[in-house]
Amino acid sequence: MKTLEKVIIAIGTLDMGYFAWLVFNTLSAERGELALLWSSLAAFGLPFPEVQFAAIILFYLSILVCGFALVFRWRKVAWLNYVQSPLRLIFVVPTLYPLFFLFAKLDIELGFFLSLALLGAIEIGRVVIVYRWRTHTT
């Protein structure tokens, strides 16, 4: 197995791990994370909070789909990674989320702009890696 394919599998595993972490934390939370999300959307005052709630849930499900697609190397689903990139930046969902958790556990504060720059670099790197894998491997 080539190095690029190993990196693709690792990225997919990170996506599946993020989804599992999200589900675990949502189910184990005492205050009900989904109810909190719903009430926040409704209280914010934008129209159609149901549509916004569904879009957020679909975004997180697409992370799971991307994870499976990369682990099982389904090239036809690679386009979903490109669609997700701006959403990952907007919702601050980094591919290398364990790195950001490690920073938090070690009380390392990067600052707002450095954190955004790191997030952007990671997500651009993800898109480049997925693009190279999709177009240059057989």
PDB file of all heavy atoms in Angstrom, residues 45-76:
ATOM      1  N   GLY A  45     -33.277  33.452  16.196  1.00  0.00           N
ATOM      2  CA  GLY A  45     -34.255  34.272  15.490  1.00  0.00           C
ATOM      3  C   GLY A  45     -34.235  34.178  13.978  1.00  0.00           C
ATOM      4  O   GLY A  45     -35.011  34.852  13.316  1.00  0.00           O
ATOM      5  N   LEU A  46     -33.374  33.369  13.413  1.00  0.00           N
ATOM      6  CA  LEU A  46     -33.387  33.206  11.961  1.00  0.00           C
ATOM      7  C   LEU A  46     -34.591  32.361  11.562  1.00  0.00           C
ATOM      8  O   LEU A  46     -35.069  31.536  12.340  1.00  0.00           O
ATOM      9  CB  LEU A  46     -32.100  32.540  11.482  1.00  0.00           C
ATOM     10  CG  LEU A  46     -30.831  33.371  11.627  1.00  0.00           C
ATOM     11  CD1 LEU A  46     -29.617  32.551  11.226  1.00  0.00           C
ATOM     12  CD2 LEU A  46     -30.905  34.633  10.795  1.00  0.00           C
ATOM     13  N   PRO A  47     -35.077  32.551  10.353  1.00  0.00           N
ATOM     14  CA  PRO A  47     -36.242  31.769   9.931  1.00  0.00           C
ATOM     15  C   PRO A  47     -35.885  30.298   9.711  1.00  0.00           C
ATOM     16  O   PRO A  47     -34.746  29.966   9.405  1.00  0.00           O
ATOM     17  CB  PRO A  47     -36.660  32.429   8.614  1.00  0.00           C
ATOM     18  CG  PRO A  47     -35.446  33.124   8.127  1.00  0.00           C
ATOM     19  CD  PRO A  47     -34.649  33.501   9.337  1.00  0.00           C
ATOM     20  N   PHE A  48     -36.856  29.461   9.891  1.00  0.00           N
ATOM     21  CA  PHE A  48     -36.759  28.022   9.638  1.00  0.00           C
ATOM     22  C   PHE A  48     -35.635  27.337  10.426  1.00  0.00           C
ATOM     23  O   PHE A  48     -34.716  26.768   9.837  1.00  0.00           O
ATOM     24  CB  PHE A  48     -36.591  27.740   8.141  1.00  0.00           C
ATOM     25  CG  PHE A  48     -37.625  28.398   7.291  1.00  0.00           C
ATOM     26  CD1 PHE A  48     -37.272  29.439   6.437  1.00  0.00           C
ATOM     27  CD2 PHE A  48     -38.948  28.013   7.356  1.00  0.00           C
ATOM     28  CE1 PHE A  48     -38.217  30.065   5.650  1.00  0.00           C
ATOM     29  CE2 PHE A  48     -39.907  28.638   6.568  1.00  0.00           C
ATOM     30  CZ  PHE A  48     -39.544  29.668   5.718  1.00  0.00           C
ATOM     31  N   PRO A  49     -35.697  27.354  11.741  1.00  0.00           N
ATOM     32  CA  PRO A  49     -34.658  26.671  12.517  1.00  0.00           C
ATOM     33  C   PRO A  49     -34.633  25.163  12.263  1.00  0.00           C
ATOM     34  O   PRO A  49     -33.592  24.529  12.411  1.00  0.00           O
ATOM     35  CB  PRO A  49     -35.014  26.989  13.974  1.00  0.00           C
ATOM     36  CG  PRO A  49     -36.432  27.419  13.950  1.00  0.00           C
ATOM     37  CD  PRO A  49     -36.680  27.992  12.591  1.00  0.00           C
ATOM     38  N   GLU A  50     -35.757  24.609  11.808  1.00  0.00           N
ATOM     39  CA  GLU A  50     -35.795  23.174  11.492  1.00  0.00           C
ATOM     40  C   GLU A  50     -34.841  22.852  10.351  1.00  0.00           C
ATOM     41  O   GLU A  50     -34.139  21.829  10.369  1.00  0.00           O
ATOM     42  CB  GLU A  50     -37.201  22.718  11.081  1.00  0.00           C
ATOM     43  CG  GLU A  50     -38.316  23.074  11.999  1.00  0.00           C
ATOM     44  CD  GLU A  50     -38.879  24.476  11.788  1.00  0.00           C
ATOM     45  OE1 GLU A  50     -38.670  25.108  10.726  1.00  0.00           O
ATOM     46  OE2 GLU A  50     -39.536  24.957  12.712  1.00  0.00           O
ATOM     47  N   VAL A  51     -34.825  23.717   9.345  1.00  0.00           N
ATOM     48  CA  VAL A  51     -33.948  23.508   8.188  1.00  0.00           C
ATOM     49  C   VAL A  51     -32.491  23.651   8.607  1.00  0.00           C
ATOM     50  O   VAL A  51     -31.628  22.868   8.189  1.00  0.00           O
ATOM     51  CB  VAL A  51     -34.304  24.496   7.052  1.00  0.00           C
ATOM     52  CG1 VAL A  51     -33.333  24.370   5.894  1.00  0.00           C
ATOM     53  CG2 VAL A  51     -35.730  24.272   6.593  1.00  0.00           C
ATOM     54  N   GLN A  52     -32.201  24.628   9.437  1.00  0.00           N
ATOM     55  CA  GLN A  52     -30.828  24.815   9.912  1.00  0.00           C
ATOM     56  C   GLN A  52     -30.370  23.619  10.741  1.00  0.00           C
ATOM     57  O   GLN A  52     -29.249  23.136  10.583  1.00  0.00           O
ATOM     58  CB  GLN A  52     -30.732  26.089  10.748  1.00  0.00           C
ATOM     59  CG  GLN A  52     -31.034  27.340   9.965  1.00  0.00           C
ATOM     60  CD  GLN A  52     -31.253  28.533  10.870  1.00  0.00           C
ATOM     61  OE1 GLN A  52     -30.876  28.526  12.025  1.00  0.00           O
ATOM     62  NE2 GLN A  52     -31.864  29.565  10.330  1.00  0.00           N
ATOM     63  N   PHE A  53     -31.233  23.133  11.619  1.00  0.00           N
ATOM     64  CA  PHE A  53     -30.923  21.975  12.446  1.00  0.00           C
ATOM     65  C   PHE A  53     -30.651  20.757  11.565  1.00  0.00           C
ATOM     66  O   PHE A  53     -29.660  20.046  11.766  1.00  0.00           O
ATOM     67  CB  PHE A  53     -32.090  21.699  13.402  1.00  0.00           C
ATOM     68  CG  PHE A  53     -31.843  20.591  14.372  1.00  0.00           C
ATOM     69  CD1 PHE A  53     -31.053  20.797  15.488  1.00  0.00           C
ATOM     70  CD2 PHE A  53     -32.417  19.345  14.185  1.00  0.00           C
ATOM     71  CE1 PHE A  53     -30.830  19.777  16.394  1.00  0.00           C
ATOM     72  CE2 PHE A  53     -32.203  18.325  15.082  1.00  0.00           C
ATOM     73  CZ  PHE A  53     -31.413  18.535  16.202  1.00  0.00           C
ATOM     74  N   ALA A  54     -31.507  20.537  10.578  1.00  0.00           N
ATOM     75  CA  ALA A  54     -31.325  19.407   9.659  1.00  0.00           C
ATOM     76  C   ALA A  54     -30.023  19.548   8.866  1.00  0.00           C
ATOM     77  O   ALA A  54     -29.323  18.565   8.641  1.00  0.00           O
ATOM     78  CB  ALA A  54     -32.515  19.299   8.714  1.00  0.00           C
ATOM     79  N   ALA A  55     -29.683  20.765   8.456  1.00  0.00           N
ATOM     80  CA  ALA A  55     -28.452  20.985   7.699  1.00  0.00           C
ATOM     81  C   ALA A  55     -27.221  20.674   8.546  1.00  0.00           C
ATOM     82  O   ALA A  55     -26.257  20.074   8.052  1.00  0.00           O
ATOM     83  CB  ALA A  55     -28.393  22.425   7.196  1.00  0.00           C
ATOM     84  N   ILE A  56     -27.263  21.037   9.809  1.00  0.00           N
ATOM     85  CA  ILE A  56     -26.127  20.734  10.694  1.00  0.00           C
ATOM     86  C   ILE A  56     -25.997  19.230  10.895  1.00  0.00           C
ATOM     87  O   ILE A  56     -24.891  18.682  10.824  1.00  0.00           O
ATOM     88  CB  ILE A  56     -26.289  21.485  12.037  1.00  0.00           C
ATOM     89  CG1 ILE A  56     -26.106  22.985  11.809  1.00  0.00           C
ATOM     90  CG2 ILE A  56     -25.294  20.970  13.069  1.00  0.00           C
ATOM     91  CD1 ILE A  56     -26.469  23.842  13.003  1.00  0.00           C
ATOM     92  N   ILE A  57     -27.120  18.555  11.110  1.00  0.00           N
ATOM     93  CA  ILE A  57     -27.086  17.096  11.268  1.00  0.00           C
ATOM     94  C   ILE A  57     -26.576  16.441   9.988  1.00  0.00           C
ATOM     95  O   ILE A  57     -25.746  15.517  10.037  1.00  0.00           O
ATOM     96  CB  ILE A  57     -28.490  16.560  11.647  1.00  0.00           C
ATOM     97  CG1 ILE A  57     -28.949  17.142  12.987  1.00  0.00           C
ATOM     98  CG2 ILE A  57     -28.510  15.041  11.671  1.00  0.00           C
ATOM     99  CD1 ILE A  57     -28.069  16.838  14.168  1.00  0.00           C
ATOM    100  N   LEU A  58     -27.030  16.908   8.831  1.00  0.00           N
ATOM    101  CA  LEU A  58     -26.551  16.359   7.560  1.00  0.00           C
ATOM    102  C   LEU A  58     -25.051  16.599   7.371  1.00  0.00           C
ATOM    103  O   LEU A  58     -24.341  15.743   6.838  1.00  0.00           O
ATOM    104  CB  LEU A  58     -27.320  16.955   6.388  1.00  0.00           C
ATOM    105  CG  LEU A  58     -28.722  16.411   6.178  1.00  0.00           C
ATOM    106  CD1 LEU A  58     -29.440  17.189   5.077  1.00  0.00           C
ATOM    107  CD2 LEU A  58     -28.666  14.932   5.843  1.00  0.00           C
ATOM    108  N   PHE A  59     -24.569  17.751   7.805  1.00  0.00           N
ATOM    109  CA  PHE A  59     -23.129  18.025   7.718  1.00  0.00           C
ATOM    110  C   PHE A  59     -22.344  17.003   8.525  1.00  0.00           C
ATOM    111  O   PHE A  59     -21.362  16.435   8.043  1.00  0.00           O
ATOM    112  CB  PHE A  59     -22.818  19.445   8.201  1.00  0.00           C
ATOM    113  CG  PHE A  59     -21.353  19.700   8.402  1.00  0.00           C
ATOM    114  CD1 PHE A  59     -20.484  19.690   7.317  1.00  0.00           C
ATOM    115  CD2 PHE A  59     -20.841  19.939   9.661  1.00  0.00           C
ATOM    116  CE1 PHE A  59     -19.129  19.919   7.497  1.00  0.00           C
ATOM    117  CE2 PHE A  59     -19.495  20.174   9.844  1.00  0.00           C
ATOM    118  CZ  PHE A  59     -18.632  20.159   8.755  1.00  0.00           C
ATOM    119  N   TYR A  60     -22.788  16.730   9.747  1.00  0.00           N
ATOM    120  CA  TYR A  60     -22.064  15.759  10.567  1.00  0.00           C
ATOM    121  C   TYR A  60     -22.191  14.340  10.011  1.00  0.00           C
ATOM    122  O   TYR A  60     -21.242  13.562  10.088  1.00  0.00           O
ATOM    123  CB  TYR A  60     -22.526  15.838  12.021  1.00  0.00           C
ATOM    124  CG  TYR A  60     -21.980  17.066  12.712  1.00  0.00           C
ATOM    125  CD1 TYR A  60     -22.822  18.033  13.227  1.00  0.00           C
ATOM    126  CD2 TYR A  60     -20.614  17.287  12.814  1.00  0.00           C
ATOM    127  CE1 TYR A  60     -22.325  19.172  13.846  1.00  0.00           C
ATOM    128  CE2 TYR A  60     -20.100  18.414  13.421  1.00  0.00           C
ATOM    129  CZ  TYR A  60     -20.960  19.348  13.935  1.00  0.00           C
ATOM    130  OH  TYR A  60     -20.456  20.468  14.524  1.00  0.00           O
ATOM    131  N   LEU A  61     -23.330  14.014   9.429  1.00  0.00           N
ATOM    132  CA  LEU A  61     -23.456  12.707   8.767  1.00  0.00           C
ATOM    133  C   LEU A  61     -22.543  12.623   7.548  1.00  0.00           C
ATOM    134  O   LEU A  61     -21.987  11.562   7.247  1.00  0.00           O
ATOM    135  CB  LEU A  61     -24.903  12.449   8.370  1.00  0.00           C
ATOM    136  CG  LEU A  61     -25.858  12.104   9.511  1.00  0.00           C
ATOM    137  CD1 LEU A  61     -27.288  12.023   9.005  1.00  0.00           C
ATOM    138  CD2 LEU A  61     -25.441  10.807  10.189  1.00  0.00           C
ATOM    139  N   SER A  62     -22.364  13.746   6.842  1.00  0.00           N
ATOM    140  CA  SER A  62     -21.458  13.736   5.684  1.00  0.00           C
ATOM    141  C   SER A  62     -20.013  13.512   6.112  1.00  0.00           C
ATOM    142  O   SER A  62     -19.221  12.949   5.353  1.00  0.00           O
ATOM    143  CB  SER A  62     -21.591  15.027   4.874  1.00  0.00           C
ATOM    144  OG  SER A  62     -20.948  16.114   5.518  1.00  0.00           O
ATOM    145  N   ILE A  63     -19.666  13.926   7.329  1.00  0.00           N
ATOM    146  CA  ILE A  63     -18.322  13.636   7.850  1.00  0.00           C
ATOM    147  C   ILE A  63     -18.148  12.125   7.989  1.00  0.00           C
ATOM    148  O   ILE A  63     -17.107  11.568   7.623  1.00  0.00           O
ATOM    149  CB  ILE A  63     -18.082  14.355   9.191  1.00  0.00           C
ATOM    150  CG1 ILE A  63     -17.952  15.858   8.955  1.00  0.00           C
ATOM    151  CG2 ILE A  63     -16.851  13.819   9.906  1.00  0.00           C
ATOM    152  CD1 ILE A  63     -17.836  16.684  10.209  1.00  0.00           C
ATOM    153  N   LEU A  64     -19.174  11.452   8.490  1.00  0.00           N
ATOM    154  CA  LEU A  64     -19.121   9.999   8.608  1.00  0.00           C
ATOM    155  C   LEU A  64     -19.011   9.343   7.239  1.00  0.00           C
ATOM    156  O   LEU A  64     -18.205   8.426   7.038  1.00  0.00           O
ATOM    157  CB  LEU A  64     -20.348   9.485   9.357  1.00  0.00           C
ATOM    158  CG  LEU A  64     -20.410   7.977   9.594  1.00  0.00           C
ATOM    159  CD1 LEU A  64     -19.259   7.520  10.476  1.00  0.00           C
ATOM    160  CD2 LEU A  64     -21.751   7.600  10.209  1.00  0.00           C
ATOM    161  N   VAL A  65     -19.794   9.806   6.280  1.00  0.00           N
ATOM    162  CA  VAL A  65     -19.744   9.263   4.921  1.00  0.00           C
ATOM    163  C   VAL A  65     -18.348   9.467   4.324  1.00  0.00           C
ATOM    164  O   VAL A  65     -17.787   8.554   3.709  1.00  0.00           O
ATOM    165  CB  VAL A  65     -20.834   9.901   4.033  1.00  0.00           C
ATOM    166  CG1 VAL A  65     -20.635   9.551   2.576  1.00  0.00           C
ATOM    167  CG2 VAL A  65     -22.211   9.480   4.507  1.00  0.00           C
ATOM    168  N   CYS A  66     -17.783  10.652   4.513  1.00  0.00           N
ATOM    169  CA  CYS A  66     -16.419  10.910   4.016  1.00  0.00           C
ATOM    170  C   CYS A  66     -15.413   9.972   4.661  1.00  0.00           C
ATOM    171  O   CYS A  66     -14.494   9.490   4.000  1.00  0.00           O
ATOM    172  CB  CYS A  66     -16.006  12.356   4.288  1.00  0.00           C
ATOM    173  SG  CYS A  66     -16.543  13.496   3.037  1.00  0.00           S
ATOM    174  N   GLY A  67     -15.585   9.734   5.941  1.00  0.00           N
ATOM    175  CA  GLY A  67     -14.681   8.820   6.634  1.00  0.00           C
ATOM    176  C   GLY A  67     -14.710   7.435   6.025  1.00  0.00           C
ATOM    177  O   GLY A  67     -13.664   6.854   5.707  1.00  0.00           O
ATOM    178  N   PHE A  68     -15.915   6.895   5.840  1.00  0.00           N
ATOM    179  CA  PHE A  68     -16.031   5.574   5.214  1.00  0.00           C
ATOM    180  C   PHE A  68     -15.498   5.587   3.785  1.00  0.00           C
ATOM    181  O   PHE A  68     -14.828   4.650   3.353  1.00  0.00           O
ATOM    182  CB  PHE A  68     -17.488   5.094   5.235  1.00  0.00           C
ATOM    183  CG  PHE A  68     -17.889   4.471   6.531  1.00  0.00           C
ATOM    184  CD1 PHE A  68     -18.792   5.117   7.368  1.00  0.00           C
ATOM    185  CD2 PHE A  68     -17.381   3.250   6.929  1.00  0.00           C
ATOM    186  CE1 PHE A  68     -19.170   4.556   8.572  1.00  0.00           C
ATOM    187  CE2 PHE A  68     -17.749   2.673   8.129  1.00  0.00           C
ATOM    188  CZ  PHE A  68     -18.650   3.329   8.956  1.00  0.00           C
ATOM    189  N   ALA A  69     -15.801   6.637   3.052  1.00  0.00           N
ATOM    190  CA  ALA A  69     -15.349   6.725   1.658  1.00  0.00           C
ATOM    191  C   ALA A  69     -13.827   6.730   1.572  1.00  0.00           C
ATOM    192  O   ALA A  69     -13.252   6.106   0.671  1.00  0.00           O
ATOM    193  CB  ALA A  69     -15.916   7.976   0.996  1.00  0.00           C
ATOM    194  N   LEU A  70     -13.173   7.407   2.482  1.00  0.00           N
ATOM    195  CA  LEU A  70     -11.712   7.452   2.440  1.00  0.00           C
ATOM    196  C   LEU A  70     -11.098   6.144   2.942  1.00  0.00           C
ATOM    197  O   LEU A  70     -10.123   5.661   2.369  1.00  0.00           O
ATOM    198  CB  LEU A  70     -11.192   8.647   3.235  1.00  0.00           C
ATOM    199  CG  LEU A  70     -11.536  10.012   2.649  1.00  0.00           C
ATOM    200  CD1 LEU A  70     -11.047  11.128   3.566  1.00  0.00           C
ATOM    201  CD2 LEU A  70     -10.969  10.180   1.253  1.00  0.00           C
ATOM    202  N   VAL A  71     -11.661   5.573   3.993  1.00  0.00           N
ATOM    203  CA  VAL A  71     -11.111   4.317   4.509  1.00  0.00           C
ATOM    204  C   VAL A  71     -11.245   3.202   3.479  1.00  0.00           C
ATOM    205  O   VAL A  71     -10.317   2.418   3.268  1.00  0.00           O
ATOM    206  CB  VAL A  71     -11.790   3.931   5.846  1.00  0.00           C
ATOM    207  CG1 VAL A  71     -11.496   2.492   6.227  1.00  0.00           C
ATOM    208  CG2 VAL A  71     -11.351   4.873   6.956  1.00  0.00           C
ATOM    209  N   PHE A  72     -12.395   3.157   2.801  1.00  0.00           N
ATOM    210  CA  PHE A  72     -12.605   2.115   1.803  1.00  0.00           C
ATOM    211  C   PHE A  72     -12.201   2.559   0.395  1.00  0.00           C
ATOM    212  O   PHE A  72     -12.416   1.840  -0.572  1.00  0.00           O
ATOM    213  CB  PHE A  72     -14.063   1.643   1.827  1.00  0.00           C
ATOM    214  CG  PHE A  72     -14.412   0.943   3.099  1.00  0.00           C
ATOM    215  CD1 PHE A  72     -15.261   1.532   4.025  1.00  0.00           C
ATOM    216  CD2 PHE A  72     -13.859  -0.288   3.405  1.00  0.00           C
ATOM    217  CE1 PHE A  72     -15.582   0.898   5.209  1.00  0.00           C
ATOM    218  CE2 PHE A  72     -14.165  -0.942   4.584  1.00  0.00           C
ATOM    219  CZ  PHE A  72     -15.026  -0.347   5.495  1.00  0.00           C
ATOM    220  N   ARG A  73     -11.637   3.762   0.314  1.00  0.00           N
ATOM    221  CA  ARG A  73     -11.060   4.327  -0.918  1.00  0.00           C
ATOM    222  C   ARG A  73     -12.066   4.357  -2.072  1.00  0.00           C
ATOM    223  O   ARG A  73     -11.790   3.914  -3.173  1.00  0.00           O
ATOM    224  CB  ARG A  73      -9.783   3.583  -1.277  1.00  0.00           C
ATOM    225  CG  ARG A  73      -8.717   3.780  -0.209  1.00  0.00           C
ATOM    226  CD  ARG A  73      -7.432   3.077  -0.474  1.00  0.00           C
ATOM    227  NE  ARG A  73      -7.467   1.633  -0.560  1.00  0.00           N
ATOM    228  CZ  ARG A  73      -7.574   0.793   0.478  1.00  0.00           C
ATOM    229  NH1 ARG A  73      -7.685   1.264   1.692  1.00  0.00           N
ATOM    230  NH2 ARG A  73      -7.556  -0.501   0.311  1.00  0.00           N
ATOM    231  N   TRP A  74     -13.225   4.937  -1.797  1.00  0.00           N
ATOM    232  CA  TRP A  74     -14.248   5.147  -2.819  1.00  0.00           C
ATOM    233  C   TRP A  74     -13.994   6.500  -3.469  1.00  0.00           C
ATOM    234  O   TRP A  74     -14.390   7.536  -2.961  1.00  0.00           O
ATOM    235  CB  TRP A  74     -15.651   5.122  -2.222  1.00  0.00           C
ATOM    236  CG  TRP A  74     -16.026   3.833  -1.553  1.00  0.00           C
ATOM    237  CD1 TRP A  74     -15.598   2.584  -1.858  1.00  0.00           C
ATOM    238  CD2 TRP A  74     -16.918   3.689  -0.450  1.00  0.00           C
ATOM    239  NE1 TRP A  74     -16.158   1.668  -1.025  1.00  0.00           N
ATOM    240  CE2 TRP A  74     -16.987   2.321  -0.140  1.00  0.00           C
ATOM    241  CE3 TRP A  74     -17.673   4.580   0.302  1.00  0.00           C
ATOM    242  CZ2 TRP A  74     -17.761   1.816   0.884  1.00  0.00           C
ATOM    243  CZ3 TRP A  74     -18.457   4.084   1.329  1.00  0.00           C
ATOM    244  CH2 TRP A  74     -18.497   2.715   1.606  1.00  0.00           C
ATOM    245  N   ARG A  75     -13.355   6.496  -4.606  1.00  0.00           N
ATOM    246  CA  ARG A  75     -12.974   7.743  -5.275  1.00  0.00           C
ATOM    247  C   ARG A  75     -14.182   8.572  -5.737  1.00  0.00           C
ATOM    248  O   ARG A  75     -14.113   9.779  -5.828  1.00  0.00           O
ATOM    249  CB  ARG A  75     -12.081   7.437  -6.469  1.00  0.00           C
ATOM    250  CG  ARG A  75     -10.675   7.121  -6.068  1.00  0.00           C
ATOM    251  CD  ARG A  75      -9.799   6.922  -7.299  1.00  0.00           C
ATOM    252  NE  ARG A  75      -8.445   6.663  -6.902  1.00  0.00           N
ATOM    253  CZ  ARG A  75      -7.997   5.507  -6.438  1.00  0.00           C
ATOM    254  NH1 ARG A  75      -8.826   4.500  -6.308  1.00  0.00           N
ATOM    255  NH2 ARG A  75      -6.740   5.358  -6.102  1.00  0.00           N
ATOM    256  N   LYS A  76     -15.282   7.893  -6.036  1.00  0.00           N
ATOM    257  CA  LYS A  76     -16.455   8.613  -6.545  1.00  0.00           C
ATOM    258  C   LYS A  76     -17.090   9.524  -5.501  1.00  0.00           C
ATOM    259  O   LYS A  76     -17.867  10.400  -5.846  1.00  0.00           O
ATOM    260  CB  LYS A  76     -17.498   7.621  -7.062  1.00  0.00           C
ATOM    261  CG  LYS A  76     -17.033   6.908  -8.308  1.00  0.00           C
ATOM    262  CD  LYS A  76     -18.091   5.996  -8.848  1.00  0.00           C
ATOM    263  CE  LYS A  76     -17.588   5.341 -10.111  1.00  0.00           C
ATOM    264  NZ  LYS A  76     -18.583   4.508 -10.742  1.00  0.00           N
TER     265      LYS A  76
END
